[in-house]
Amino acid sequence: MSDNDQIDNESGGLDDQIANRKKNLESWRAAGIDPYGQGYHKTHTASQIREENEGLEAGEEGEEVSFAGRLMTRRDMGKAAFLDLGDRDGSLQVYFRLNNLGEESFKRLDWVDLGDFLGVKGQVFRTKRGEISIKVSEWTILSKAVMPPPDKFHGLKDTETRYRQRYIDLFSNAEVRKTFVVRSKIISAMRRYLDSLGFLEVETPNMATLAGGASARPFTTHHNALDLELYLRIATELYLKRCIVGGMDKVYEIGRVFRNEGISTRHNPEFTLLEIYEAYSDFEGMVKLTEGIIGTICKEVLGTYEVEFENYKLNLEPPYRRATMDELFREHAGKGIHEIRDRETAFAMAKEAGLDVNPNKSTLAHCIDKLFEHYVEPHLIQPTVVTEYPIELSPLAKRKPDDLDITERFELFVAHNEVANAFSELNDPVDQKGRFEAQAANKDIDDEAHPIDDDYVQALEYGMPPTGGMGMGIDRLVMLLTNSPSIRDVILFPLLRPRAQK
RNA sequence: GGGUCGUUAGCUCAGUGGUAGAGCAAUCGACUUUUAAUCGAUUGGUCGAAGGUUCGAGUCCUUCACGACCCA
């Protein structure tokens, strides 16, 4: 009895709100109704009801429907009440009226709290004030929310709670839900496009004894039965190219990769990467394919090539501007790429620019990367295909036939962000082995150096056809297309440091 | 790793070293077409944590935790 005494207290603290909600829950049970009910036959979603009854005049009645959703707001008026039920499309107003429901059914509204799930049946109509609504003739509770939802108007703002308890963010902030719907549509449009071109979606290992294909530190894990140290993949590249060796010719994978590095508005330790490989193609083919993918997504998902991101108005309609790294460095740094490929020159420039690169601890490649980031990237706003990367930056790319220090590679930049990276794949096993060895030689100053993958080299020894390959970071693409300033806005459950014990 | 900012009621936020506030939510009441419903009343606080300065700290100082943004 002492518990019930507390429940009867009038107050507004969290414990009391929970107690009141539990009391309401018990009222349903006492009436013989399970407040955590069974499935409910919905004939329509909120947006379907709106669309199908658009033609209704104020006061006019439409079809009979059943509908279900979460109670978002309610306006009680004595012997009538208006409730807004939210489903994934939005929300719909439902109208409860004593005369339509009878005493017993109407009275049960007292046991309903914001956040509860309700199922309703009734006739669609348009109110005096023009709102499409349902005149409820029959209804039930489908699930009880014992925790109170956030502010009905302001939603949930606290970033930490939004990320830690994303479910609250999703049900209380419609625009957040929208972002993740768009994300899903982007990925499915991407799949549809690639499938239509005859690409085969494949799955390669998440765990392996080597983590190659990119410059990044891996996560480690352990397989007990084999007593084996394993790495989580940092890229899908080397396995996908083994598929090309195997004759699969056109493959892609949309997969999670894991990189053991810092967290920022543009980095989450696990993120989603698209990689594509096409036999008998090359980096020029990959330019076309990249343009095709982005163009198709804009057309099918956004319905426009015009996109706003940060303060930029971007036009993503292909084809995109092309520029060589040499041209861009000349334009923005006053020196060409062949000059910059000299260690002394590169590090002197970096020092002059105030960049944090130490000649004793950084590779030339890393230094050039930093210089490009500093001098050139800020200028790459509209989509730009940057070509002719020096060989130091591209250990898996084929050399340009007329300039062996330059590779057949491009990166696509939009709004000074790298969106895609592609090249003609290096298929000469001897050259590949040499590049791996050059990477390994830097191991002491570069903990992100590619490891030597002898099995991969052996695969090339069996022969890999000339191949074009491309990688695209899905999260950053979604950021761009949804105008999201942080990668955490496009990842449902981003990694956060655990909260201290209360 | 460094810097700046933030952490106050369930939510959104005010708060000048001197009695801890508002709106929403909650509770009670009125209202049979409202829509951030309206109207009346009531309740709700370890001010992120721990120290310190002070007659007195949400407010000033130190450390810590978590987060946001910027830099590396």
Side-chain angles (χ1 to χ4, degrees):
Chain A
M1 276 322 279
S2 59
D3 284 347
N4 283 338
D5 290 343
Q6 290 218 324
I7 287 169
D8 290 338
N9 283 349
E10 286 180 10
S11 52
L14 179 58
D15 290 345
D16 301 299
Q17 290 199 41
I18 292 170
N20 275 310
R21 284 163 177 266
K22 286 185 174 166
K23 200 171 83 178
N24 288 336
L25 183 145
E26 289 310 321
S27 298
W28 284 102
R29 291 217 164 106
I33 296 163
D34 181 0
Y36 296 107
Q38 308 301 310
Y40 194 78
H41 178 67
K42 275 181 89 155
T43 57
H44 294 73
T45 66
S47 62
Q48 284 169 342
I49 290 173
R50 251 181 247 292
E51 280 161 27
E52 289 179 18
N53 295 278
E54 208 170 335
L56 284 185
E57 302 283 331
E60 198 183 349
E61 299 192 342
E63 58 189 328
E64 186 85 10
V65 297
S66 67
F67 175 64
R70 187 192 286 272
L71 177 58
M72 305 308 287
T73 60
R74 63 186 290 177
R75 293 170 292 285
D76 283 281
M77 316 189 47
K79 299 187 175 63
F82 291 92
L83 282 66
D84 294 313
L85 301 185
D87 70 6
R88 78 174 217 199
D89 289 312
S91 75
L92 188 80
Q93 175 170 278
V94 298
Y95 178 47
F96 287 67
R97 187 165 174 261
L98 175 62
N99 294 9
N100 299 343
L101 289 162
E103 289 274 352
E104 197 189 347
S105 171
F106 189 77
K107 189 83 173 72
R108 286 177 181 164
L109 273 179
D110 291 347
W111 308 337
V112 168
D113 297 289
L114 292 184
D116 289 359
F117 286 89
L118 305 181
V120 303
K121 287 190 177 67
Q123 212 159 18
V124 178
F125 75 111
R126 191 185 286 277
T127 66
K128 272 187 204 165
R129 308 292 278 267
E131 181 92 6
I132 295 285
S133 309
I134 299 173
K135 199 168 280 182
V136 178
S137 57
E138 212 183 297
W139 71 285
T140 188
I141 190 165
L142 297 174
S143 187
K144 190 77 200 159
V146 173
M147 292 293 287
D151 190 290
K152 68 181 177 189
F153 184 65
H154 297 97
L156 180 66
K157 288 257 175 66
D158 183 81
T159 46
E160 193 173 344
T161 312
R162 286 186 47 223
Y163 299 148
R164 286 190 198 281
Q165 293 176 277
R166 178 72 89 182
Y167 46 90
I168 306 176
D169 192 30
L170 284 167
F171 76 66
S172 55
N173 297 324
E175 69 285 0
V176 172
R177 222 157 45 230
K178 168 107 192 291
T179 297
F180 289 104
V181 169
V182 171
R183 179 182 175 121
S184 174
K185 286 181 175 169
I186 286 170
I187 293 172
S188 68
M190 189 177 270
R191 277 209 169 87
R192 234 177 300 125
Y193 179 68
L194 291 171
D195 292 347
S196 77
L197 295 176
F199 283 89
L200 207 62
E201 183 172 14
V202 297
E203 294 167 281
T204 65
N206 276 287
M207 296 183 296
T209 51
L210 282 179
S215 297
R217 276 181 303 189
F219 287 92
T220 55
T221 186
H222 186 258
H223 187 272
N224 288 344
L226 297 183
D227 188 20
L228 197 60
E229 289 299 312
L230 293 172
Y231 296 107
L232 298 187
R233 66 185 177 185
I234 57 173
T236 47
E237 172 147 5
L238 299 182
Y239 278 104
L240 288 174
K241 284 192 279 193
R242 283 172 171 93
C243 294
I244 298 294
V245 171
M248 297 183 87
D249 283 5
K250 294 172 84 169
V251 294
Y252 74 98
E253 180 163 8
I254 296 173
R256 206 69 63 82
V257 298
F258 309 86
R259 296 186 182 177
N260 204 339
E261 47 201 29
I263 293 175
S264 77
T265 46
R266 293 171 54 196
H267 299 86
N268 193 64
E270 55 176 310
F271 61 98
T272 303
L273 187 63
L274 164 71
E275 286 198 40
I276 305 177
Y277 294 86
E278 182 176 9
Y280 315 111
S281 184
D282 57 16
F283 86 108
E284 288 290 355
M286 291 300 113
V287 174
K288 295 230 160 49
L289 187 59
T290 304
E291 290 175 337
I293 291 169
I294 294 176
T296 299
I297 289 170
C298 286
K299 208 166 51 195
E300 290 187 8
V301 180
L302 307 179
T304 174
Y305 297 108
E306 309 284 327
V307 167
E308 274 190 47
F309 183 72
E310 291 172 355
N311 293 319
Y312 305 118
K313 278 198 185 339
L314 304 169
N315 179 2
L316 300 184
E317 184 168 9
Y320 302 142
R321 173 200 173 202
R322 305 226 351 200
T324 66
M325 197 174 237
D326 185 54
E327 289 163 1
L328 291 168
F329 264 125
R330 279 180 203 285
E331 186 181 346
H332 300 293
K335 281 194 172 68
I337 187 64
H338 284 288
E339 258 181 284
I340 293 173
R341 281 187 62 238
D342 175 68
R343 259 191 90 84
E344 256 178 58
T345 310
F347 280 98
M349 281 174 76
K351 196 175 172 191
E352 200 181 323
L355 301 174
D356 178 41
V357 282
N358 182 334
N360 300 319
K361 285 195 286 188
S362 300
T363 58
L364 174 61
H366 182 248
C367 185
I368 297 173
D369 227 14
K370 287 282 166 198
L371 289 171
F372 188 79
E373 238 174 68
H374 179 262
Y375 283 107
V376 182
E377 280 186 22
H379 302 283
L380 302 178
I381 306 304
Q382 296 300 327
T384 306
V385 171
V386 179
T387 59
E388 305 201 353
Y389 279 66
I391 194 153
E392 294 84 357
L393 289 174
S394 319
L396 301 166
K398 185 175 277 194
R399 294 171 204 262
K400 222 171 157 234
D402 57 357
D403 186 346
L404 297 182
D405 294 332
I406 297 293
T407 55
E408 290 196 344
R409 172 180 179 189
F410 79 86
E411 287 193 337
L412 173 65
F413 284 85
V414 184
H416 52 74
N417 283 302
E418 177 202 331
V419 169
N421 174 25
F423 33 87
S424 302
E425 302 298 332
L426 176 57
N427 60 346
D428 174 342
V430 175
D431 193 353
Q432 183 64 76
K433 175 99 185 182
R435 307 259 199 112
F436 277 145
E437 280 165 354
Q439 288 278 317
N442 283 327
K443 201 76 193 166
D444 47 334
I445 57 168
D446 182 5
D447 56 5
E448 296 185 345
H450 292 231
I452 298 180
D453 188 337
D454 286 318
D455 181 79
Y456 175 68
V457 172
Q458 189 176 50
L460 296 185
E461 284 168 348
Y462 279 93
M464 180 170 86
T467 296
M470 191 272 281
M472 190 183 283
I474 301 301
D475 309 272
R476 293 206 187 154
L477 179 69
V478 175
M479 285 169 68
L480 188 70
L481 298 180
T482 57
N483 196 10
S484 300
S486 167
I487 198 169
R488 293 179 212 100
D489 296 330
V490 302
I491 291 178
L492 277 167
F493 302 100
L495 185 68
L496 296 188
R497 196 187 288 271
R499 201 103 172 84
Q501 288 293 320
K502 281 184 194 171

